[in-house]
Amino acid sequence: MRRAGTRIHCGARVGSARGALRRGGLIFLLAVCAAAQLEGQCPDGTPAPCAARPPHPTTAPSPNSVAVLYLANLSRDTADAFLADGLTEEMIIRLGQVPRLDVKSRYEVERFRGQAAQDPAVLGRALRAAYLVTGSVQRAGDRVRLRYEVIRAATRARVGGDVIDRASSDLLTVESDIARQVATAITGQLLPEERAPLTRRITSDPRAYEEYLRGLGEMNRSLDEASLRSALAHFDRAIARDSSFAAAFAGKAKAWAILADGYAAPREGYGQARAAAEAALALDSSQAHAYAMLGFAVLALDLNPHEAERLGRRAVALDPRGDEPHFMLSWALEAERRIDESIEEGRRAWETDSLVLPNLLTYAWMLIFGHRLDSVAALLPRFRAVMPPGDADVLEGMVLAARGNLRGATHLLDWRYYGGLVAGSYVRALLARGDTVAAHATVDSMLAARTPGYYNPVALAKAYAALGDMDRGIEWLRRAFDERTVWLVWVRLDDELATLRADPRYAALDRQLKY
């Protein structure tokens, strides 16, 4: 059997992601792939080797589109990389609050890390950006020097830039200062309502700000448990120094949401995520991603997709270009069985950043659960163009299984994949080819996986349903309700749970759902 789940193929470093794969929940999947570097890809995101491409895209970039390339870390201490990355990402967020600008996401620019010296015209075409922001950060003692340039990509003309020397304790406004100057260079003049979010301070404590940047760096560098716990420690230290630091609370919410269903039991993880997200929003009601993380917590803990939908729509209103708000809203709508709307939000999340694997998978899952099998099959070649083979194989296996071709799906599936995402289909496939012994052995392995870590009970419920063991299937489905895994959004839709839904004991569980 091909073990498609032995690597996280969305670009994560293999060493940091290997253990995570066997434990990952869906929020975990989102964050792993969002933080990962897309290695070994061509400029358009397709896997190497790169095919010949037309020298120009079919459509020109929008005139106010801008890509902020990751600042180079020129400090002697490589540990200062968090500063360069953190300042880059904060600038992207700041510029994204100017409606007139089309700001490329950090996921889009991540694959061009270290390539700022390339021809600006080539980078601009690859990124579909009219303007590029490049630069570097160098720390020496208690001083920091930051250089940046704003370049019109097509003409290679420098239209802005500066060299900024600051004390380390005076970095609080540097990214907002640069964002304001970049926006002015592109638009000509900022409106008062555009200037306000660019100049707003997120904290008044420089040490709290540095802890916050370190937390972001840990969370984006690696999604193993140690890195996530380290990120939480940095966010907590930032909050300890400044209890009004809304962005630090939002970062804490995201870290806990990643841990939930992955390294931490859902009740603990989503409970902590909810508390941190609510604290962030009490301090600053414009934190779009805090609304999205709160939506996932409400969906998991309260089984309430109506409130999750409200939170998701608020997140989308605050950040219509962000993929996480659309991702969250898609899940809420799916739980409400509003399949067409869920598929549309999944499509928007995918189109917001088509190189982020969870966006692609979410869209594909919505199509599968909505029985749009012809649609997802038609999209498979496009998905394969940007998906590494292992993940594309699993997706193809899901489609084959949904079509009833279980024998053909067997070699494409793996029970380990993302915490048991396709384990039910894999057990059904083994049974379809008559390998009952292997099917029972797989379920034993799934049970063993819960001992050292967390393995999703929904996966076990589906596996026992495939084996025809209704008693244990209902038992594990009851555990899923008790543990509050977010995977319960599928419980009324998943064909693999149909036999359990037909069991009279299921009705008592279904009444817990607030929809």
Side-chain angles (χ1 to χ4, degrees):
M1 178 195 68
R2 180 173 184 170
R3 293 178 53 179
T6 55
R7 294 182 64 192
I8 289 182
H9 287 291
C10 53
R13 297 176 181 85
V14 174
S16 65
R18 189 180 302 276
L21 180 59
R22 290 187 281 272
R23 308 181 186 96
L26 266 294
I27 307 301
F28 179 74
L29 167 61
L30 167 68
V32 166
C33 299
Q37 291 191 18
L38 297 174
E39 299 169 354
Q41 291 188 338
C42 304
D44 64 353
T46 59
C50 303
R53 305 287 175 185
H56 300 287
T58 55
T59 58
S62 61
N64 284 355
S65 54
V66 56
V68 183
L69 299 182
Y70 272 86
L71 300 173
N73 174 37
L74 302 184
S75 305
R76 291 183 178 179
D77 189 348
T78 57
D80 285 333
F82 81 91
L83 183 60
D85 288 357
L87 290 174
T88 303
E89 290 160 15
E90 286 298 299
M91 280 193 284
I92 291 171
I93 292 170
R94 293 268 187 176
L95 289 170
Q97 296 172 335
V98 179
R100 284 191 289 162
L101 295 180
D102 173 12
V103 184
K104 303 303 175 182
S105 72
R106 70 181 180 89
Y107 314 121
E108 293 174 281
V109 300
E110 172 69 51
R111 59 199 172 101
F112 294 95
R113 183 189 289 269
Q115 299 181 39
Q118 285 193 21
D119 184 346
V122 174
L123 286 175
R125 285 196 297 268
L127 281 160
R128 301 284 298 281
Y131 294 88
L132 303 174
V133 180
T134 66
S136 62
V137 179
Q138 184 173 15
R139 172 178 265 174
D142 64 349
R143 304 292 299 179
V144 175
R145 171 169 290 183
L146 194 151
R147 304 172 184 267
Y148 77 95
E149 288 187 323
V150 185
I151 302 168
R152 185 178 289 111
T155 64
R156 304 174 179 84
R158 183 180 185 273
V159 297
D162 201 355
V163 178
I164 301 173
D165 284 297
R166 299 270 180 96
S168 295
S169 59
D170 191 26
L171 288 177
L172 291 173
T173 62
V174 67
E175 41 86 12
S176 62
D177 289 346
I178 296 173
R180 186 179 67 254
Q181 293 170 32
V182 169
T184 301
I186 295 172
T187 64
Q189 184 175 0
L190 290 173
L191 302 173
E193 60 269 25
E194 294 173 331
R195 185 179 297 272
L198 292 177
T199 57
R200 185 174 59 223
R201 283 194 176 194
I202 61 175
T203 180
S204 58
D205 187 307
R207 287 182 60 189
Y209 184 61
E210 181 163 326
E211 290 290 350
Y212 168 71
L213 292 181
R214 288 184 182 276
L216 291 180
E218 286 289 331
M219 195 159 53
N220 293 337
R221 178 182 63 83
S222 172
L223 272 299
D224 59 26
E225 185 174 12
S227 295
L228 290 169
R229 298 287 182 183
S230 176
L232 283 174
H234 286 300
F235 291 136
D236 281 337
R237 284 195 284 270
I239 292 166
R241 293 195 61 86
D242 181 0
S243 60
S244 64
F245 198 167
F249 278 106
K252 181 177 179 178
K254 185 172 181 178
W256 271 113
I258 298 168
L259 285 163
D261 266 328
Y263 296 113
R267 283 189 181 274
E268 177 194 10
Y270 290 122
Q272 293 280 1
R274 166 185 265 168
E278 288 176 341
L281 294 171
L283 293 165
D284 179 2
S285 59
S286 69
Q287 293 281 337
H289 287 203
Y291 277 109
M293 294 304 106
L294 182 57
F296 274 112
V298 165
L299 196 59
L301 298 176
D302 300 342
L303 305 177
N304 188 346
H306 305 308
E307 177 62 9
E309 180 194 350
R310 186 189 71 80
L311 294 166
R313 292 197 184 282
R314 178 60 178 154
V316 169
L318 288 168
D319 186 11
R321 303 170 185 170
D323 59 314
E324 284 182 17
H326 290 291
F327 184 90
M328 194 278 120
L329 182 55
S330 180
W331 276 70
L333 293 169
E334 183 189 26
E336 294 176 299
R337 291 187 285 184
R338 293 157 62 183
I339 302 302
D340 289 343
E341 295 171 80
S342 174
I343 288 172
E344 176 61 17
E345 289 301 323
R347 182 189 63 79
R348 288 175 179 169
W350 174 51
E351 290 184 347
T352 296
D353 199 331
S354 61
L355 296 182
V356 177
L357 184 61
N359 297 345
L360 188 159
L361 287 177
T362 295
Y363 184 35
W365 293 332
M366 302 316 172
L367 290 171
I368 291 171
F369 284 125
H371 298 103
R372 276 49 164 202
L373 300 182
D374 289 341
S375 296
V376 70
L379 286 168
L380 273 174
R382 290 183 61 189
F383 291 164
R384 277 198 176 275
V386 295
M387 292 178 77
D391 298 288
D393 286 348
V394 168
L395 180 55
E396 183 178 349
M398 291 171 65
V399 175
L400 290 174
R403 287 187 181 277
N405 184 3
L406 290 167
R407 287 177 177 268
T410 308
H411 71 287
L412 298 168
L413 301 174
D414 181 7
W415 66 268
R416 301 168 186 81
Y417 191 80
Y418 295 129
L421 182 64
V422 295
S425 295
Y426 181 63
V427 172
R428 289 171 58 225
L430 291 174
L431 292 171
R433 73 181 191 187
D435 201 342
T436 305
V437 173
H440 282 277
T442 296
V443 175
D444 289 342
S445 296
M446 293 162 64
L447 289 169
R450 278 181 64 91
T451 302
Y454 184 81
Y455 192 83
N456 201 284
V458 172
L460 282 155
K462 293 200 290 186
Y464 278 116
L467 292 173
D469 190 335
M470 295 299 104
D471 290 342
R472 290 185 179 177
I474 288 292
E475 175 191 343
W476 281 103
L477 198 55
R478 184 178 293 113
R479 290 198 193 188
F481 275 85
D482 291 342
E483 293 177 13
R484 288 300 196 263
T485 167
V486 79
W487 290 20
L488 287 174
V489 298
W490 301 330
V491 72
R492 288 179 174 174
L493 294 169
D494 195 332
D495 292 340
E496 293 182 353
L497 295 172
T499 56
L500 297 182
R501 290 195 298 270
D503 190 293
R505 293 168 290 183
Y506 171 76
L509 297 174
D510 191 81
R511 284 193 290 271
Q512 297 182 48
L513 302 174
K514 297 180 181 178
Y515 50 97

